[in-house]
Amino acid sequence: MKEESVNRFINNRYCLLVMGLMAAVLSYFFHVSGIGHAPGGAGIWNTGIAGCSLWAVNALTVLAVAVMMRVLDKNFAFVREYTVIYAAYFLFSSLCNPSYSVGFPRAAAVNAVLMVCVWVLFSGYQQKGRRSFVFLISFVLSLCSLFDYSFLFYIPVFILGFMQMKIFSFKGLLAILLGLAVPYWIACGSGMLAFDDLRFPRLVISKEKYLTEIGLSGLYRIILAVVVGSVLGSINLFKLMNYRMQLRSYNGFFTVLALLSIIFIVVDATNFATYLMSLNICVAYQVAHFFTTRKMRRGYILFFFLILANAACAVPELIGFFKS
């Protein structure tokens, strides 16, 4: 009976509250201790906008992503049973990363916008005639790329998403191209943006680049996310195949997002923190599928093991802090 109560606990809002508070305390410790460095990244447009070092802004932006994850599941019900375990897992896996506690909350801001775009995408399921969904997402991604070029990497993700939602067509392709062009057209036509202001990303794939940008702790977090996502995703696959087509499309989009996020980390190590957060969103949903479709007597042990594994990824950074 006690074990059943603990299993119910990890799926309800009280676990979310506990995980959120623990993660917030840990994140604040990282912030005041000066552990971690702000995620890199830049826009195509050299705006000169200064960064922000407020810890609260980082924590609230990560919380906004978690809220959007809940809004998505509540509106589209692609996790079959009630749970908020995905939000608890995401909050802890994100806030126990010191890089999300300092500097401008770039990674969280990008993913918050992406979650809004996902909401628009899912809302347009099988509404091929309403190309406004396609145009709006393309426009938002293009506009935001002026401030962070990592948004450009997500354009192929949403194009595949348009196909999964059955809203892609030749006219839809024209809407995509128009949506991508309009922000730059307006910026150049109004004189706000000149050609000299454009800074296109220089993508370097090398061992030195990975060691400099990612580091040992970042590598541990990537490996953990890939392993947990792959194992649980493979286990969940057979259950998800029995869902109706609309739910399979929704969950299929997060599978595509996860796979491409891994590729983005390899190609663009500078913004790996952004892509890692996208990957952890997908992993969190796989955790939710696993714990809601399988009634394990001691499933809570696995959940707390995953939480501890995420916390352990910060050990190299803590060791470096106490040695200095």
Side-chain angles (χ1 to χ4, degrees), residues 57-67 90-91 94-95 100 105 108-109 277:
V57 176
N58 285 272
L60 289 174
T61 311
V62 172
L63 178 61
V65 178
V67 170
F90 170 78
L91 277 178
S94 296
L95 292 179
Y100 298 142
M277 185 173 286

Side-chain angles (χ1 to χ4, degrees), residues 180-259:
L180 295 176
V182 166
Y184 288 85
W185 184 12
I186 294 175
C188 292
S190 63
M192 297 173 59
L193 175 63
F195 184 77
D196 293 339
D197 293 323
L198 297 178
R199 297 187 306 175
F200 292 96
R202 296 178 58 186
L203 305 178
V204 179
I205 301 177
S206 67
K207 180 180 178 181
E208 292 75 18
K209 182 72 171 179
Y210 296 144
L211 291 175
T212 302
E213 298 290 344
I214 297 178
L216 192 59
S217 292
L219 180 61
Y220 288 158
R221 292 185 177 94
I222 293 170
I223 293 174
L224 177 63
V226 171
V227 171
V228 173
S230 299
V231 172
L232 297 188
S234 299
I235 295 173
N236 294 333
L237 179 62
F238 299 101
K239 289 284 186 179
L240 298 181
M241 287 176 62
N242 294 323
Y243 288 9
R244 56 190 174 91
M245 184 175 293
Q246 185 172 359
L247 298 184
R248 292 203 307 269
S249 298
Y250 293 155
N251 286 295
F253 174 80
F254 286 110
T255 300
V256 170
L257 176 60
L259 293 174

Side-chain angles (χ1 to χ4, degrees), residues 44-65:
I44 289 178
W45 180 15
N46 185 12
T47 59
I49 296 177
C52 172
S53 59
L54 293 176
W55 166 80
V57 176
N58 285 272
L60 289 174
T61 311
V62 172
L63 178 61
V65 178

Side-chain angles (χ1 to χ4, degrees), residues 285-298:
Y285 280 131
Q286 291 296 341
V287 170
H289 286 303
F290 181 82
F291 282 98
T292 54
T293 58
R294 282 166 177 78
K295 306 301 181 183
M296 298 179 295
R297 181 182 175 185
R298 294 175 179 168

Side-chain angles (χ1 to χ4, degrees), residues 84-100:
V84 290
I85 195 173
Y86 49 80
Y89 183 87
F90 170 78
L91 277 178
F92 193 89
S93 63
S94 296
L95 292 179
C96 72
N97 184 343
S99 296
Y100 298 142

